[in-house]
Amino acid sequence: MKKLIDSIFFIALCSCMALVSCISDGDDSDTGSIELVAGDKLPVFGVTMNDGTVVTNESLRGKVSVIVFFNTGCKDCRQELPVIQQIYEDYREMPLLAISRAEGAASIASYWQEQHLTFPYAAQEDRTVYHLFAKSGIPRIYIVDAELTIRKVFTDNPLAGYDELVAAINDASLR
């Protein structure tokens, strides 16, 4: 009987950990990772978007941009992605980069199709690009000004709403 109770407890514990793993996964194995905050400059990075376009930090210079880190298996990301879709539709001229954290292109493409998402994404099988920005936690949204300075960072606590994102984009545009 004790073995059964221990097994049930273990399964329940693993289930609870899976529910919060997208938010605070505790993967601090890369001690070189940092947490970028408002006022920091964008790190040097480059990603290939799903349409084949290569985007680098320098290609964003001169424009306000939005960078989103996500994983479609994350409950909070699933809640945030429709808000990002609305931002994309309303600010088509603004660069918007959705970069996956440890998720491949096939999985993302399937989710995008199911959810009718149209904004561009860069599939990253690992956390290399993500770790240039943060240690853990998604969704993570960076509003960046034309001089490549991060003006606002949104995480899961609380999730960013459309109005907060628009205000941060407008603020970054004024700088």
Side-chain angles (χ1 to χ4, degrees):
M1 186 62 147
K2 179 169 177 10
K3 198 172 201 177
L4 177 62
I5 291 171
D6 287 347
S7 294
I8 291 171
F9 175 76
F10 179 74
I11 291 169
L13 179 63
C14 288
S15 296
C16 289
M17 288 173 60
L19 289 174
V20 298
S21 66
C22 67
I23 299 167
S24 183
D25 57 320
D27 180 14
D28 294 329
S29 57
D30 181 4
T31 56
S33 294
I34 57 172
E35 295 283 335
L36 295 180
V37 297
D40 289 341
K41 289 289 192 181
L42 274 186
V44 175
F45 75 95
V47 293
T48 302
M49 305 307 289
N50 60 310
D51 66 359
T53 304
V54 175
V55 180
T56 67
N57 58 301
E58 278 302 318
S59 68
L60 299 174
R61 186 175 296 281
K63 306 165 214 127
V64 171
S65 56
V66 177
I67 301 172
V68 180
F69 286 96
F70 73 95
N71 184 295
T72 64
C74 167
K75 176 180 70 84
D76 287 336
C77 295
R78 287 177 177 242
Q79 191 175 340
E80 194 74 79
L81 291 173
V83 176
I84 299 303
Q85 177 67 38
Q86 190 62 53
I87 292 292
Y88 176 68
E89 290 172 9
D90 292 346
Y91 291 86
R92 290 249 182 210
E93 73 289 345
M94 181 184 63
L96 188 149
L97 288 75
I99 304 171
S100 73
R101 187 189 75 174
E103 184 173 14
S107 174
I108 299 167
S110 175
Y111 186 80
W112 252 234
Q113 185 174 7
E114 288 170 13
Q115 300 301 314
H116 308 289
L117 300 174
T118 60
F119 58 91
Y121 62 85
Q124 303 292 298
E125 298 276 348
D126 59 21
R127 296 175 185 224
T128 302
V129 175
Y130 174 77
H131 278 165
L132 296 173
F133 288 79
K135 295 178 189 177
S136 65
I138 52 176
R140 196 171 275 281
I141 303 168
Y142 297 87
I143 308 299
V144 182
D145 71 16
E147 297 302 316
L148 306 181
T149 300
I150 296 168
R151 290 295 160 200
K152 185 77 175 175
V153 179
F154 295 94
T155 62
D156 64 301
N157 188 22
L159 290 174
Y162 178 83
D163 292 338
E164 289 104 343
L165 290 171
V166 167
I169 290 166
N170 290 337
D171 183 56
S173 296
L174 298 174
R175 298 189 182 261

